[in-house]
Amino acid sequence: MIDTASAPPAAALRFHGVAKRFGKAAVLRGVSFDVPAGRAFGLAGVNGAGKTTLIKCMLDLAALDAGTIEIFGASHRHPSARARLAFLPERFAPPWYLTGGDFLRFMLELDAQPYVEEEVQSLLAALDLDPSALSRPARSFSKGMTQKLGLAACFLARRDLYILDEPMSGLDPKARAHLKDLLAAERARGATLFFTSHALADIESVCDEMTVLHRGVPYFSGAPRALCDHYGESTLERAFLRCIEAPAPCPRLPSPPC
């Protein structure tokens, strides 16, 4: 009999041997790691490490050269698998001629979901986005307002998995704190969070697990605290530097309990 109480959680995402080249440049070189369902997971790495390319492969926006990606056990190539996720790109840009409200209505209509004013207003408050954004054209938005609108569209979709590429980009400290509260609420609801960030403090404060992607391969996978402990550093930033300066990836470290 299987002890389900001690069994590891099912994987929301599974990357196995993922490889991707652009011309002669090998961007991803046999990437393998799992993202457990219901966890908050951070993907860290320097510029050019392959983080965005990995997301593009996951969303079938770029073809794999080798390997497989599964989303809740189904191939990433199947639209039904991707239907369970919401995605916010790093450079999110809504149609400039739409108002914030028009954009949200359009996205909800694509999802075959109703536009419920109370839910929209509640989410805007949770993201610290002024309600006037609903009646203003997107071309008048600041970077922070644009980012909040994209996040609102994602969370209104109520998906099982959120793929967020640099979700804190353009947000001031107040908005970052609001977003962290919202991410915690989504995780408590049972959703899986997968996001990239150059701000390691955000990964440390939000994520249960992380992977450090370096030179196209995972150099570390495990809990943020485990990375610090492995290198004997008090901060995640220092541990990250030690990790990417290592001659080879460090071993997989134990996952934290649910």
Side-chain angles (χ1 to χ4, degrees):
M1 178 180 295
I2 297 175
D3 181 4
T4 57
S6 61
L13 292 170
R14 177 161 288 157
F15 302 91
H16 180 71
V18 174
K20 179 62 182 176
R21 301 181 65 92
F22 292 105
K24 296 182 179 180
V27 181
L28 301 173
R29 300 184 293 121
V31 173
S32 297
F33 65 88
D34 290 355
V35 177
R39 301 284 187 90
F41 191 99
L43 184 64
V46 299
N47 290 335
K51 302 185 300 298
T52 297
T53 296
L54 187 64
I55 289 177
K56 287 181 178 179
C57 289
M58 181 204 318
L59 300 174
D60 204 25
L61 299 175
L64 301 183
D65 293 325
T68 61
I69 301 174
E70 293 180 0
I71 304 174
F72 295 110
S75 169
H76 75 294
R77 299 295 305 278
H78 295 165
S80 59
R82 299 194 303 274
R84 295 182 63 180
L85 65 83
F87 168 58
L88 181 68
E90 180 180 5
R91 295 180 178 87
F92 168 66
W96 61 270
Y97 50 86
L98 292 180
T99 66
D102 289 339
F103 175 74
L104 294 179
R105 286 186 176 87
F106 178 68
M107 296 303 295
L108 286 167
E109 185 175 347
L110 286 178
D111 288 333
Q113 296 189 43
Y115 183 99
V116 181
E117 187 68 32
E118 294 78 9
E119 293 181 4
V120 172
Q121 292 292 342
S122 177
L123 188 54
L124 295 189
L127 288 167
D128 193 36
L129 178 59
D130 194 307
S132 67
L134 296 177
S135 58
R136 291 174 53 183
R139 62 177 175 269
S140 70
F141 286 12
S142 66
K143 166 61 177 172
M145 291 179 65
T146 300
Q147 191 74 357
K148 293 174 189 178
L149 182 68
L151 288 164
C154 281
F155 293 125
L156 282 171
R158 302 286 285 181
R159 291 293 193 254
D160 298 320
L161 170 64
Y162 295 100
I163 309 296
L164 309 173
D165 197 359
E166 295 288 344
M168 306 286 182
S169 177
L171 300 184
D172 60 32
K174 180 182 178 183
R176 291 164 73 93
H178 277 275
L179 177 55
K180 288 180 182 181
D181 289 342
L182 186 55
L183 292 173
E186 286 295 326
R187 186 191 181 286
R189 183 176 67 82
T192 305
L193 309 173
F194 179 95
F195 70 88
T196 70
S197 179
H198 287 117
L200 293 173
D202 292 336
I203 289 179
E204 188 169 27
S205 64
V206 173
C207 294
D208 308 296
E209 296 194 42
M210 66 180 295
T211 284
V212 175
L213 194 63
H214 188 58
R215 296 174 181 167
V217 297
Y219 258 51
F220 164 83
S221 289
R225 186 70 254 167
L227 180 61
C228 294
D229 293 343
H230 182 75
Y231 288 103
E233 296 288 353
S234 60
T235 68
L236 191 59
E237 285 83 1
R238 295 302 307 171
F240 172 83
L241 288 175
R242 291 278 302 278
C243 179
I244 64 173
E245 290 169 356
C250 72
R252 165 79 198 193
L253 300 179
S255 299
C258 293

